[in-house]
Amino acid sequence: DRHRVMPVTSPIDRWREIDDVALSLPSIVSAAGVEPPLPDTPLNDAEYAGLKHSAEKIREVIRRFGF
């Protein structure tokens, strides 16, 4: 139960305007489970744009398969 920060894939719910998709983001992991992604994760503009693009592509695939 060390409360470590690790990249964890989990459902994202309104994290920096990203919603309704599972992504790997730095989160605190403890014996209680995975907490929401860290809100202050540093991203430059290009990284943030790439993350938003990835989220949209994942949502497109999800919709294509009817989920």
Side-chain angles (χ1 to χ4, degrees):
D1 193 26
R2 296 184 180 184
H3 293 85
R4 293 190 180 223
V5 175
M6 302 176 75
V8 177
T9 302
S10 59
I12 305 303
D13 184 34
R14 288 173 291 222
W15 185 84
R16 295 188 185 183
E17 301 176 15
I18 297 173
D19 197 21
D20 199 31
V21 67
L23 294 171
S24 291
L25 295 170
S27 304
I28 294 176
V29 179
S30 69
V34 177
E35 295 183 18
L38 298 175
D40 57 349
T41 302
L43 295 172
N44 65 35
D45 291 344
E47 291 168 330
Y48 181 61
L51 187 63
K52 285 181 72 171
H53 179 76
S54 294
E56 184 54 40
K57 291 298 181 183
I58 292 169
R59 279 193 294 274
E60 286 175 13
V61 170
I62 290 169
R63 282 192 289 267
R64 188 178 321 138
F65 286 99
F67 292 104

PDB file of all heavy atoms in Angstrom, residues 60-67:
ATOM      1  N   GLU A  60     -13.621   6.234 -32.038  1.00  0.00           N
ATOM      2  CA  GLU A  60     -14.091   5.852 -33.374  1.00  0.00           C
ATOM      3  C   GLU A  60     -14.143   4.336 -33.526  1.00  0.00           C
ATOM      4  O   GLU A  60     -15.101   3.788 -34.070  1.00  0.00           O
ATOM      5  CB  GLU A  60     -13.186   6.446 -34.447  1.00  0.00           C
ATOM      6  CG  GLU A  60     -13.352   7.930 -34.653  1.00  0.00           C
ATOM      7  CD  GLU A  60     -12.350   8.496 -35.649  1.00  0.00           C
ATOM      8  OE1 GLU A  60     -11.686   7.711 -36.374  1.00  0.00           O
ATOM      9  OE2 GLU A  60     -12.212   9.733 -35.698  1.00  0.00           O
ATOM     10  N   VAL A  61     -13.109   3.648 -33.060  1.00  0.00           N
ATOM     11  CA  VAL A  61     -13.073   2.187 -33.153  1.00  0.00           C
ATOM     12  C   VAL A  61     -14.169   1.580 -32.280  1.00  0.00           C
ATOM     13  O   VAL A  61     -14.860   0.648 -32.692  1.00  0.00           O
ATOM     14  CB  VAL A  61     -11.678   1.639 -32.758  1.00  0.00           C
ATOM     15  CG1 VAL A  61     -11.704   0.126 -32.628  1.00  0.00           C
ATOM     16  CG2 VAL A  61     -10.633   2.084 -33.776  1.00  0.00           C
ATOM     17  N   ILE A  62     -14.340   2.122 -31.100  1.00  0.00           N
ATOM     18  CA  ILE A  62     -15.388   1.627 -30.202  1.00  0.00           C
ATOM     19  C   ILE A  62     -16.756   1.752 -30.863  1.00  0.00           C
ATOM     20  O   ILE A  62     -17.563   0.820 -30.846  1.00  0.00           O
ATOM     21  CB  ILE A  62     -15.341   2.386 -28.857  1.00  0.00           C
ATOM     22  CG1 ILE A  62     -14.092   1.982 -28.081  1.00  0.00           C
ATOM     23  CG2 ILE A  62     -16.601   2.133 -28.029  1.00  0.00           C
ATOM     24  CD1 ILE A  62     -13.803   2.843 -26.871  1.00  0.00           C
ATOM     25  N   ARG A  63     -17.021   2.908 -31.462  1.00  0.00           N
ATOM     26  CA  ARG A  63     -18.312   3.118 -32.141  1.00  0.00           C
ATOM     27  C   ARG A  63     -18.471   2.167 -33.334  1.00  0.00           C
ATOM     28  O   ARG A  63     -19.560   1.645 -33.583  1.00  0.00           O
ATOM     29  CB  ARG A  63     -18.446   4.564 -32.589  1.00  0.00           C
ATOM     30  CG  ARG A  63     -18.815   5.508 -31.469  1.00  0.00           C
ATOM     31  CD  ARG A  63     -19.226   6.869 -31.978  1.00  0.00           C
ATOM     32  NE  ARG A  63     -18.158   7.629 -32.510  1.00  0.00           N
ATOM     33  CZ  ARG A  63     -17.368   8.533 -31.881  1.00  0.00           C
ATOM     34  NH1 ARG A  63     -17.471   8.826 -30.834  1.00  0.00           N
ATOM     35  NH2 ARG A  63     -16.430   9.183 -32.368  1.00  0.00           N
ATOM     36  N   ARG A  64     -17.380   1.970 -34.072  1.00  0.00           N
ATOM     37  CA  ARG A  64     -17.437   1.096 -35.245  1.00  0.00           C
ATOM     38  C   ARG A  64     -17.863  -0.323 -34.857  1.00  0.00           C
ATOM     39  O   ARG A  64     -18.562  -1.000 -35.603  1.00  0.00           O
ATOM     40  CB  ARG A  64     -16.075   1.055 -35.934  1.00  0.00           C
ATOM     41  CG  ARG A  64     -16.118   0.322 -37.261  1.00  0.00           C
ATOM     42  CD  ARG A  64     -14.798   0.306 -38.015  1.00  0.00           C
ATOM     43  NE  ARG A  64     -14.080   1.564 -37.929  1.00  0.00           N
ATOM     44  CZ  ARG A  64     -12.760   1.646 -37.746  1.00  0.00           C
ATOM     45  NH1 ARG A  64     -12.022   0.568 -37.644  1.00  0.00           N
ATOM     46  NH2 ARG A  64     -12.162   2.819 -37.683  1.00  0.00           N
ATOM     47  N   PHE A  65     -17.473  -0.775 -33.675  1.00  0.00           N
ATOM     48  CA  PHE A  65     -17.831  -2.117 -33.229  1.00  0.00           C
ATOM     49  C   PHE A  65     -19.106  -2.134 -32.401  1.00  0.00           C
ATOM     50  O   PHE A  65     -19.485  -3.154 -31.855  1.00  0.00           O
ATOM     51  CB  PHE A  65     -16.671  -2.743 -32.448  1.00  0.00           C
ATOM     52  CG  PHE A  65     -15.536  -3.170 -33.338  1.00  0.00           C
ATOM     53  CD1 PHE A  65     -14.413  -2.372 -33.480  1.00  0.00           C
ATOM     54  CD2 PHE A  65     -15.607  -4.341 -34.068  1.00  0.00           C
ATOM     55  CE1 PHE A  65     -13.374  -2.756 -34.306  1.00  0.00           C
ATOM     56  CE2 PHE A  65     -14.588  -4.734 -34.905  1.00  0.00           C
ATOM     57  CZ  PHE A  65     -13.454  -3.933 -35.041  1.00  0.00           C
ATOM     58  N   GLY A  66     -19.769  -1.003 -32.305  1.00  0.00           N
ATOM     59  CA  GLY A  66     -21.073  -0.945 -31.665  1.00  0.00           C
ATOM     60  C   GLY A  66     -21.074  -0.913 -30.156  1.00  0.00           C
ATOM     61  O   GLY A  66     -22.063  -1.267 -29.529  1.00  0.00           O
ATOM     62  N   PHE A  67     -19.992  -0.473 -29.569  1.00  0.00           N
ATOM     63  CA  PHE A  67     -19.956  -0.382 -28.103  1.00  0.00           C
ATOM     64  C   PHE A  67     -20.223   1.026 -27.649  1.00  0.00           C
ATOM     65  O   PHE A  67     -20.030   1.979 -28.288  1.00  0.00           O
ATOM     66  CB  PHE A  67     -18.592  -0.832 -27.564  1.00  0.00           C
ATOM     67  CG  PHE A  67     -18.342  -2.284 -27.765  1.00  0.00           C
ATOM     68  CD1 PHE A  67     -17.493  -2.724 -28.759  1.00  0.00           C
ATOM     69  CD2 PHE A  67     -18.957  -3.226 -26.962  1.00  0.00           C
ATOM     70  CE1 PHE A  67     -17.254  -4.064 -28.959  1.00  0.00           C
ATOM     71  CE2 PHE A  67     -18.726  -4.579 -27.146  1.00  0.00           C
ATOM     72  CZ  PHE A  67     -17.864  -4.993 -28.159  1.00  0.00           C
TER      73      PHE A  67
END
